[in-house]
Structure formats: structure tokens, C-alpha cells
Amino acid sequence: MPTFLNQSPVFGPVISRRFGVSLGVNLMPGTGKICTFDCLYCENGFNDERRTRDGYVGLDQVTSALETALVAMAEKDEKLDDICFAGNGEPTASPVFPAAVDAALSLRDRYAPEAHVTVLSNGTQAARPDVHATLLRVDRNVLKLDTVDTAYIAALDRPRVSYDVERQVETFASFEGHVIVQTIFLRGSYEGRSLDNTDEAHVGAWLLALERIKPEGVTIYTVDRGTPASGLSKAPRETLDAIAQRVRDLGFPCTVGY
């Protein structure tokens, strides 16, 4: 299925289903992907297929591009709801991530004080002291947890760094509520292995992890855009709604993306 790369270092504004009018901050190059996961469902494609010789974007380039975009929107009196660190891979792995977030917060305060600053992360770097402290400073700290099944994570998310589920849950809990857990639910298979994580074994264990993390919110979604792997399919709307209700029954707000 078709995949795409985002412009770098700033793209948009785009209309986000969750965040409204959003400017994307891409610390990865526009020519390829740099990520600590290699997810079967990644809209940016597989790591090997998107490999690039270009490195992370420098801080000055990010800051200048973001300020230019914010000034242009302000001059046109265009509403901005969100500045989102996302892009072609894992933003928190960039060496300039903490400084780039600080710059974004400062520029937001100057040009778009009503906007939120959001980070979409797979959580692999969240235990690093500098990253952890930075994620505490943003408005929305959105961290991925697709399951607590180690074998499933290896098959679907395919981490390219050391990854321990128990440590991830502990790290997410250490944010003391300043975290939004993001999870994809899907069906289908890849290379003969079922990738259905909507069954009770997966959902029940995931809900127990949420009880430990105590997030300020949960976002669940399913396959929407192009994926590099064939054989993946959407989780039914009624299944997502049922899972969301179980999350809400635990006392956590839950949004659903179909």
C-alpha cells in the first residue's frame, strides 16, 4: 500500500482528527525515515525502504522554519490549535529534541499562545532523563503502547532498540498522569502470524497496564492510511467503541479514531 514522507523541518498546517489545525515539526530529514521502531503499519514506510544518508535536522533550521510558519499564520490571522512533534520517525531520538521543544514552547507563547505543543512518541526514549524532563514540559505527551505482549510487539512494532514492556509501563507511570497513551487496534496477519490484538487476552492485559499508568487520557485508533505491510485490516468500529467504553469505565477519558 502507498506510504509517504513528511516535509522537513515543518509541515502543514494540517487538519488533525484529534488536535485540530496543527503544524508538524519533523526533526528527521524530508528524504527518509529515522526511527527506533519499524512498525508494519507505519505510514512512512519500512525503515530499510526509507533509509537516508541525511541526518537529523539542526536546531537553528527547526527554529527558523517554525518561526516563519507561525509568523505567516499570524499575519493571515489563521487559527492554530497545535504544534506537533512527529514526522518521519521518532522525534525524541533526535539530539536536538529537548532544545527544539523549548524553542517551540517559546515561539508558541509569542505567536500562538492558545495552541498546544504535542509530542507523538513511541516511548522508547522516554526514560532518558533529558527526554523525560522535556516530555513533562509539553502540553500533550502522547506515548505509544500497542500491547503488553512482548511477542506481539516484536511482530508488529518491531523495535530496533532494546525494549522491555515492563520498563515501558513503569516509565509511563512515572509521568504521574501527564501522559496520553496511544494504541492501535487492528486485525489481519503478516507472514503467517495473526496480528489481531482486539481479543480479550490482549485487551485485558492492556487495561491492567492502564490502571498502573493512570494516564490523563487514552487514544485508540486503527489502520487508516497506507501501510507498508499487506494483510493488515481495520478493527471494526463496534470493537473500538467497546474497548473505549472499558477504558472510560476505568475512569480515563478515551478518544477513538476510526
Side-chain angles (χ1 to χ4, degrees), residues 63-142:
T63 302
S64 176
L66 182 57
E67 183 166 23
T68 297
L70 289 171
V71 167
M73 292 188 70
E75 288 178 345
K76 297 176 184 176
D77 199 28
E78 293 180 347
K79 184 178 187 294
L80 180 66
D81 300 306
D82 185 67
I83 299 169
C84 185
F85 284 78
N88 305 331
E90 176 50 42
T92 65
S94 166
V96 305
F97 171 71
V101 167
D102 286 342
L105 289 168
S106 177
L107 291 170
R108 182 274 309 275
D109 292 346
R110 188 184 313 169
Y111 296 109
E114 301 301 318
H116 292 84
V117 174
T118 299
V119 175
L120 298 183
S121 170
N122 61 29
T124 54
Q125 311 298 304
R128 277 176 41 197
D130 60 335
V131 172
H132 192 278
T134 302
L135 292 175
L136 283 170
R137 293 197 293 274
V138 301
D139 300 303
R140 287 187 285 232
N141 169 31
V142 185

Side-chain angles (χ1 to χ4, degrees), residues 7 9-14 22-26 66 82-86:
Q7 292 180 321
V10 173
F11 59 95
V14 298
S22 178
L23 273 178
V25 178
N26 181 14
L66 182 57
D82 185 67
I83 299 169
C84 185
F85 284 78

